[in-house]
Amino acid sequence: MSVHNRGQRRALAVGARAWAAPADTAPLQWQPLSASGAQPNAVGEAGVVQFKFAAKDSSGEPLAGPWYVLVEANCRDDRANLHPDAGLPCSSDRPPSGRRELIDLVANDNNLGLRRIDFG
């Protein structure tokens, strides 16, 4: 996942989280994805850094079939609406289980990205 800094100052305390949910379940059953390798913690002005996550389920097996993948980027001065430190009613440690709530959350936050991926 690429995290871009559109600001004119260095972004500090940068982090990212990711979850995956089987696309054919209702309600959505999110599983956290583990970071893969070293993760950056700062992004220079107008810079880009890469975060990597392992595409494995909670038991360590590779993801297979269609999954929704949600990724959240944060820094000290710009929290995603989902992040607990944002202090919003929608802030939590887990994405919403309803599709409508998920779509509304992602559509209104530039710190969130959602994709449907078919893992082979």
Side-chain angles (χ1 to χ4, degrees):
M1 165 184 112
S2 298
V3 173
H4 298 251
N5 177 358
R6 296 183 295 169
Q8 296 181 5
R9 293 183 305 156
R10 183 175 181 82
L12 303 173
V14 175
R17 303 188 297 172
W19 299 267
D24 57 357
T25 63
L28 295 170
Q29 299 171 3
W30 295 101
Q31 301 177 35
L33 297 180
S34 298
S36 175
Q39 303 293 323
N41 64 3
V43 184
E45 55 279 351
V48 179
V49 295
Q50 298 293 316
F51 285 86
K52 296 181 181 181
F53 295 92
K56 296 182 179 181
D57 66 18
S58 57
S59 64
E61 294 296 317
L63 300 180
W67 288 72
Y68 292 117
V69 176
L70 177 69
V71 185
E72 171 195 81
N74 289 287
C75 75
R76 182 174 47 215
D77 295 327
D78 185 13
R79 298 283 183 205
N81 291 345
L82 183 61
H83 195 279
D85 291 345
L88 300 170
C90 59
S91 302
S92 72
D93 275 330
R94 293 191 81 63
S97 59
R99 284 178 170 78
R100 180 178 228 48
E101 293 83 3
L102 177 65
I103 290 167
D104 287 346
L105 180 68
V106 172
N108 291 292
D109 190 343
N110 69 324
N111 290 30
L112 296 172
L114 178 66
R115 289 197 118 160
R116 185 178 187 270
I117 301 174
D118 266 323
F119 291 95

